[in-house]
Amino acid sequence: MNLAAATNESLAHTSNVLIYSSMAVYTLAFFAHIAEWVLGSRSKVGRTAAALSASGTAASAPVVKTRAGGTAVLERPEVVTRSATGTRDVPDGPGAAGGTFKGDLWGRIAVSLTVVAFLVEAGGVITRALSVQRAPWANMYEFSITFSTVAVGSYLVLLALKKNVRWIGLPLVTTVLLDLGIAVTTLYTDSDQLVPALHSYWLWIHVSTAIICGAVFYLGAVGTVLYLFRDSYENKLASGGKPGKFASSVMERLPSASSLDKFAYRINAAVFPLWTFTIIAGAIWAGDAWGRYWGWDPKEVWSFITWVAYAAYLHARATAGWKGRKAAYLALVAFACWLFNYYGVNIFVSGLHSYAGV
């Protein structure tokens, strides 16, 4: 074995160690997020629920007796509203921490651990690239570890921009652990060189944008799922129902349904042009590699189906009769198309994109 081969093997081993190490840190972050939800005080959550139940009514503020025998008017909790046609103006919840120091401390610990895990995982992706001296996304294993890295990186960027997205932390870390678990146990592929068709700078352009799109689409899908749950919760309260304690404890801490809906829409709308570019870049690369820009290969077909599904979602948002839950269902169908394009086409369908195996 020559020196170069030994170095590459050492780098590949280092990459594997870093990926497993990141999983360990993500696990700690997962438990810290759980602690944030469990240990965060419910007192402010209760006040938020009271404001939610009273929103949209003309009820006056409650009057109570003071020790001096007089009366005082209690101030209602400050309500942050999100205006949207056909939606209720209700308050955003105080977050998983419940607005308390104890819960917030665990939340900050969880975010700090997520940052550390992200840096370690990014190191694993970089050393994987160095071990093969190419872009680290030529097979599903490499795509998976890069995808989860970009997803966490996108979340941390939103936090750095002071966006109220810490509620994504728990589902994100849970998904990343699942993604990495599948990657290292089922999808793992030894470091290897590319087939001639992939030796192109378009590998960096086309696949990198596909990964970015998938990671951001994932964040939008999380927002959409939580929107559906929160909207059902608000509807139940509005109709006089009484949700269970567990549902109340979780739902009352999330942003309002209107806020979640707006977040998902903005995320999907922002990344949709990049997905369009991804398909165009893939067509140009196909023209260079195979002599034709479009050949109805399964990967090409499902990329286009995904594009159509997200286009339908964005169009639905501009159509009055399709806002809200109907549009949300379309968004989830679109993300399901993206997932099938990623897993299903690669594993179950044969085509020109099958040369990399898993």
Side-chain angles (χ1 to χ4, degrees), residues 317-328:
R317 287 295 307 244
T319 306
W322 277 85
K323 288 185 178 180
R325 298 183 69 87
K326 291 181 179 179

Side-chain angles (χ1 to χ4, degrees), residues 60-93:
S60 59
V63 178
V64 297
K65 293 183 178 180
T66 64
R67 290 186 178 182
T71 60
V73 177
L74 294 180
E75 294 184 0
R76 292 194 179 280
E78 181 180 353
V79 175
V80 179
T81 62
R82 300 290 186 271
S83 58
T85 304
T87 59
R88 298 166 295 272
D89 284 336
V90 298
D92 286 343

